[in-house]
Amino acid sequence: GAVVSQHPSRVICKSGTSVKIECRSLDFQATTMFWYRQFPKQSLMLMATSNEGSKATYEQGVEKDKFLINHASLTLSTLTVTSAHPEDSSFYICSAREGVNSGVNVLTFGAGSRLTVL
Amino acid sequence: AQSVAQPEDQVNVAEGNPLTVKCTYSVSGNPYLFWYVQYPNRGLQFLLKYITGDNLVKGSYGFEAEFNKSQTSFHLKKPSALVSDSALYFCAVRDGYNFNKFYFGSGTKLNVKP
């Protein structure tokens, strides 16, 4: 089945630094990937839709300049948290939609990345 | 507007007993419904989906879900729970117009006790 790899699984950084999280579709091409943020004991919040070769579409309230998304190829999207602050600490999860042309519409998720900003 | 409600934050069940995790939805157009499971510090894993056809959908790990259009519900069920089923379960619905957008419920923590 479809596999989405996300790296790193855990990252700790100092306040003010930038952190990059990678999301790769291993055995399928994903023209669209999605970035979610999950707070403890809460549901997933869609942050942005990453489109291959074009700009990401951000959800209302998500800062484009803080959460930079790049989707340079059909198998890789990256999320960069710029000038990270403690309030950016969270669990970030990416997903990709398999079977775009067939309309299957199943989302495959990465394992998530736990970001801790000190 | 599309939305999903999971009325129970937590469900407790003894191993071997049947389990039900509830989900109700609101969607414009035909509902595309999904169940996902999340283990600690992991991403979500797909369990099953309803697109069209039979109201009873069978999925992974012995789970099934019943689509009820009149009650706008999509409850997750399993005839005999296992301790290893203990996890966080999310119901989701796809947006009726934006096929890239999925709405997730708040999640239900399932505790299966031996």
Side-chain angles (χ1 to χ4, degrees), chain A residues 48 57 62 69:
Chain A
T57 304
V62 178
I69 291 172

Side-chain angles (χ1 to χ4, degrees), chain B residues 49-58 65-68 74:
Chain B
K49 69 180 186 288
Y50 172 82
I51 305 296
T52 185
D54 291 339
N55 290 342
L56 186 63
V57 178
K58 294 188 182 297
E66 187 170 9
F67 170 67
N68 187 317
F74 190 56

Side-chain angles (χ1 to χ4, degrees), chain A residues 72-91:
Chain A
S73 77
L74 287 171
T75 59
L76 173 64
S77 174
T78 60
L79 168 68
T80 301
V81 183
T82 63
S83 186
H85 291 285
E87 58 265 31
D88 297 326
S89 298
S90 192
F91 194 56

Side-chain angles (χ1 to χ4, degrees), chain B residues 10 21 28 34 39 95 99 102 109-110 112:
Chain B
Q10 188 168 294
V21 182
S28 301
F34 304 81
Y39 296 97
D95 191 289
F99 292 175
F102 289 72
K109 189 172 188 303
L110 174 66
V112 181

Side-chain angles (χ1 to χ4, degrees), chain A residues 17-35:
Chain A
T17 61
S18 295
V19 174
K20 180 185 285 187
I21 301 170
E22 292 187 348
C23 180
R24 295 180 184 271
S25 57
L26 296 187
D27 49 3
F28 66 102
Q29 293 183 335
T31 55
T32 305
M33 292 185 176
F34 308 91
W35 287 96

Side-chain angles (χ1 to χ4, degrees), chain B residues 76-111:
Chain B
L76 181 69
K77 299 180 180 183
K78 188 173 182 179
S80 179
L82 299 173
V83 173
S84 57
D85 292 330
S86 298
L88 191 57
Y89 290 81
F90 289 98
C91 182
V93 64
R94 195 198 73 179
D95 191 289
Y97 300 105
N98 182 346
F99 292 175
N100 282 329
K101 202 156 186 176
F102 289 72
Y103 296 87
F104 288 85
S106 54
T108 299
K109 189 172 188 303
L110 174 66
N111 297 312

